[in-house]
C-alpha cells in the first residue's frame, strides 16, 4: 500500500472573503478524492517557521464555506526577512527543516503576489509548492480573477450606491476611498457599477483642475453633487512623479546599504501621502464651494461572507490544486482563465503586479458613459 501524501496548507498576506472556501475546496478534494492527509499551518509562513500546525480532517472543513477570514490565521512575514525575537532573520533553512520534520510532501500557499514571492523562494529551496491566488485587489498577474475580489467589489459598489443619496440630499462632493494600493481594479469596477462621476486610479495620475471641471460640468446641468471613487493609491501628477523618482533611486542603488536607504526614503514618502484623499477633498471644496466629505471604506472591504462567485472560484481553484498535487505538479500557481483553469510558473507571478491597462474595456466603458478619470 502506497503512503498517503501529507500536504501542508497556509494562508498569508491580508485576509479576504473566500480563503476558507478555498481551504475547504482543496481539503475536501485532497482527502475525499486523493486520500491525502492535510496539515494546516497557523499564521502563514511565520507558523511554518515556528512549526505551529493543526491537523485538518473532514470535521474541521465542514461549515466553513461561508465563513469570512481564515480559520488558519495569517501574517505578512517574508520567509527570508522574518522578525524573530526582535531580529531580522532568513528563515528559509528553518522552514525547509520544519517541512521535512513534518513529513510534508507538498505545501499549498493561499495569497497574493507577495505570498507567491515567498512561495517561489521556498520552491527554489527545494520544496514542493503550489499557490492559489487570493486578493481583493485583483492585481495578481497570470490569472483573470482572484478569490476575494468579487466580494470586495460588491461591498464597495454598495457603499457608493449609499453615498449617492446623501451627496444628492446635501449637495456635496463625497469621495469614497477604496482599497487598491498599487492597482485600481477595485475602485474602477465599483466606480463604474456604482455610477461614480469620477474614478481616480493609481495608474492614472490626476489633475485637481480636471476633477473640478467634471464637478462644474455637472453643476451646469443642475446637478449640485458628485460622487468620486478614489483608489487609496491614487495620486496627482506631482506626487506620482515624486514616487517615480523615489523608485528610480531604489532601482539605481548598487549596494545593499544604499538600496535599504532608498527603500526607506520611498516608504517615508509614501507614508506622507496617506491622507491624499482628505487633502483632495479640501482642494475640491475650496475650488467649487461645495461641501466635500470623505468616506474611507477600509477593512470592511475584506470582511464578511464571500459572495457566490468567490465561493465558486475558490472551490474550483482549490479542487484543481488538489489534483495537481496528486499529479506531482509544483512550482506553479493555479490560475483562472475564462471558465477554465491553467497553471502559471511561480517565477512569472512572484512579486509582480497586474495593473489596469489604459485601454482596458472597463476604462473605455467608463469614458464612454462620461465618467472622469482625473486626467
Amino acid at each position: 500500500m502506497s503512503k498517503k501524501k501529507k500536504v501542508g496548507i497556509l494562508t498569508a498576506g491580508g485576509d479576504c472573503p473566500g480563503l476558507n472556501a478555498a481551504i475547504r475546496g482543496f481539503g475536501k478534494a485532497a482527502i475525499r478524492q486523493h486520500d491525502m492527509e492535510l496539515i494546516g499551518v497557523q499564521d502563514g509562513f511565520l507558523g511554518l517557521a515556528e512549526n505551529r500546525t493543526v491537523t485538518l480532517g473532514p470535521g474541521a472543513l465542514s461549515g466553513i464555506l461561508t465563513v469570512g477570514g481564515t480559520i488558519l490565521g495569517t501574517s505578512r512575514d517574508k520567509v527570508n526577512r522574518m522578525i524573530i525575537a526582535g531580529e531580522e532573520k532568513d528563515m528559509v533553512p528553518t522552514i525547509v527543516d520544519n517541512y521535512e520534520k513534518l513529513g510534508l510532501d507538498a505545501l499549498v500557499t493561499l495569497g497574493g503576489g507577495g505570498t507567491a514571492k515567498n512561495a517561489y523562494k521556498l520552491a527554489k529551496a527545494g520544496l514542493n509548492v503550489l499557490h492559489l491566488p487570493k486578493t481583493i485587489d485583483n492585481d495578481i498577474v497570470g490569472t483573470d480573477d482572484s478569490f476575494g475580489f468579487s466580494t470586495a467589489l460588491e461591498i464597495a459598489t454598495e457603499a457608493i450606491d449609499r453615498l449617492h443619496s446623501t451627496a444628492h440630499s446635501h449637495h456635496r462632493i463625497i469621495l469614497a476611498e477604496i482599497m487598491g494600493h498599487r492597482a485600481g481594479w477595485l475602485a474602477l469596477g465599483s466606480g463604474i457599477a456604482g455610477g461614480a462621476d469620477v474614478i481616480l486610479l493609481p495608474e492614472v495620475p490626476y489633475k485637481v483642475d480636471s476633477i473640478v471641471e467634471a464637478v462644474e460640468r455637472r453643476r451646469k446641468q443642475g446637478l449640485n453633487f458628485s460622487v468620486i471613487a478614489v483608489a487609496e493609491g491614487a495620486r496627482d501628477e506631482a506626487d506620482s512623479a515624486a514616487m517615480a523618482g523615489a523608485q528610480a533611486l531604489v532601482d539605481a542603488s548598487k549596494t545593499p546599504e544604499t538600496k535599504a536607504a532608498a527603500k526607506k526614503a520611498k516608504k517615508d514618502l509614501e507614508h506622507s501621502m496617506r491622507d491624499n484623499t482628505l487633502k483632495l477633498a479640501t482642494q475640491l471644496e475650496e475650488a467649487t464651494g461645495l461641501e466635500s466629505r470623505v468616506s474611507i471604506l477600509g477593512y470592511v472591504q475584506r470582511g464578511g461572507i464571500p459572495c457566490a462567485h468567490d465561493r465558486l472560484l475558490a472551490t474550483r481553484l482549490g479542487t484543481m490544486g488538489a489534483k495537481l498535487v496528486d499529479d506531482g505538479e509544483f512550482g506553479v500557481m493555479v490560475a483562472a482563465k475564462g471558465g477554465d483553469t491553467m497553471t502559471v510558473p511561480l517565477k512569472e507571478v512572484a512579486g509582480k503586479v497586474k495593473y489596469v491597462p489604459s485601454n482596458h474595456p472597463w476604462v473605455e466603458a467608463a469614458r464612454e458613459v462620461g465618467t472622469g478619470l482625473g486626467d
Side-chain angles (χ1 to χ4, degrees):
M1 181 180 293
S2 60
K3 172 182 170 289
K4 274 189 178 184
K5 283 186 178 178
K6 195 174 185 181
V7 182
I9 187 167
L10 62 80
T11 55
D15 68 302
C16 76
L19 279 169
N20 286 327
I23 293 169
R24 172 185 178 273
F26 178 88
K28 286 205 166 189
I31 294 169
R32 292 167 59 89
Q33 303 300 325
H34 306 290
D35 195 29
M36 298 177 189
E37 181 180 353
L38 190 62
I39 303 297
V41 179
Q42 297 175 317
D43 301 327
F45 294 104
L46 177 63
L48 194 53
E50 296 177 344
N51 205 11
R52 291 188 284 110
T53 63
V54 60
T55 299
L56 295 178
L61 300 174
S62 179
I64 66 172
L65 175 65
T66 62
V67 178
T70 164
I71 61 170
L72 295 176
T74 187
S75 67
R76 294 185 180 275
D77 297 85
K78 297 177 174 63
V79 293
N80 61 323
R81 290 165 48 201
M82 198 172 286
I83 304 301
I84 302 294
E87 294 183 12
E88 186 177 277
K89 296 182 179 180
D90 180 357
M91 297 301 288
V92 171
T94 301
I95 289 173
V96 171
D97 187 46
N98 286 341
Y99 175 99
E100 293 173 350
K101 285 179 179 177
L102 288 166
L104 297 182
D105 297 291
L107 175 68
V108 178
T109 61
L110 282 62
T115 301
K117 190 174 183 179
N118 281 322
Y120 184 48
K121 291 181 188 298
L122 297 182
K124 289 195 293 184
L127 302 191
N128 293 330
V129 183
L130 183 83
H131 185 64
L132 301 182
K134 72 87 196 163
T135 173
I136 68 168
D137 294 327
N138 195 36
D139 61 354
I140 305 175
V141 300
T143 183
D144 290 345
D145 201 358
S146 55
F147 50 87
F149 175 66
S150 288
T151 304
L153 185 64
E154 294 288 343
I155 293 168
T157 299
E158 182 179 356
I160 294 173
D161 288 346
R162 292 176 180 274
L163 292 173
H164 272 285
S165 59
T166 190
H168 179 270
S169 298
H170 292 274
H171 313 302
R172 287 174 173 167
I173 299 170
I174 294 188
L175 298 88
E177 185 179 282
I178 295 162
M179 282 186 167
H181 179 59
R182 296 174 296 177
W185 296 103
L186 190 55
L188 179 60
S190 61
I192 294 171
D197 305 299
V198 178
I199 302 171
L200 304 179
L201 310 175
E203 295 88 345
V204 184
Y206 64 82
K207 299 176 183 177
V208 176
D209 289 347
S210 177
I211 304 170
V212 171
E213 288 174 10
V215 172
E216 293 297 350
R217 279 196 302 272
R218 287 177 54 75
R219 179 139 60 177
K220 288 177 182 177
Q221 297 168 3
L223 302 169
N224 290 330
F225 72 96
S226 292
V227 175
I228 302 174
V230 186
E232 61 186 355
R235 302 183 180 91
D236 64 22
E237 291 183 328
D239 284 347
S240 294
M243 285 300 298
Q247 183 60 52
L249 290 176
V250 173
D251 295 338
S253 300
K254 302 296 184 183
T255 66
E257 292 76 18
T258 57
K259 186 173 283 290
K263 283 184 175 180
K264 183 180 184 305
K266 180 189 173 188
K267 188 173 183 178
D268 290 344
L269 178 62
E270 197 171 43
H271 186 79
S272 72
M273 298 176 184
R274 291 180 67 181
D275 294 333
N276 270 10
T277 307
L278 295 169
K279 175 184 172 184
L280 176 59
T282 300
Q283 292 171 317
L284 294 178
E285 184 167 314
E286 291 174 350
T288 66
L290 294 173
E291 287 187 351
S292 298
R293 297 290 184 267
V294 174
S295 181
I296 300 175
L297 302 190
Y299 292 106
V300 69
Q301 295 159 99
R302 292 191 183 279
I305 64 174
C307 67
H309 178 85
D310 277 336
R311 297 181 205 179
L312 285 166
L313 179 63
T315 302
R316 185 158 60 94
L317 296 181
T319 54
M320 176 55 69
K323 182 179 185 303
L324 292 170
V325 169
D326 193 51
D327 291 343
E329 186 169 352
F330 302 111
V332 297
M333 176 183 76
V334 187
K337 286 293 181 181
D340 205 352
T341 56
M342 62 176 290
T343 58
V344 180
L346 277 175
K347 65 180 179 181
E348 296 179 12
V349 179
K352 295 181 172 63
V353 179
K354 181 176 70 178
Y355 297 105
V356 177
S358 60
N359 62 345
H360 191 273
W362 289 9
V363 173
E364 294 178 350
R367 294 192 189 278
E368 287 294 321
V369 297
T371 304
L373 295 179
D375 53 353

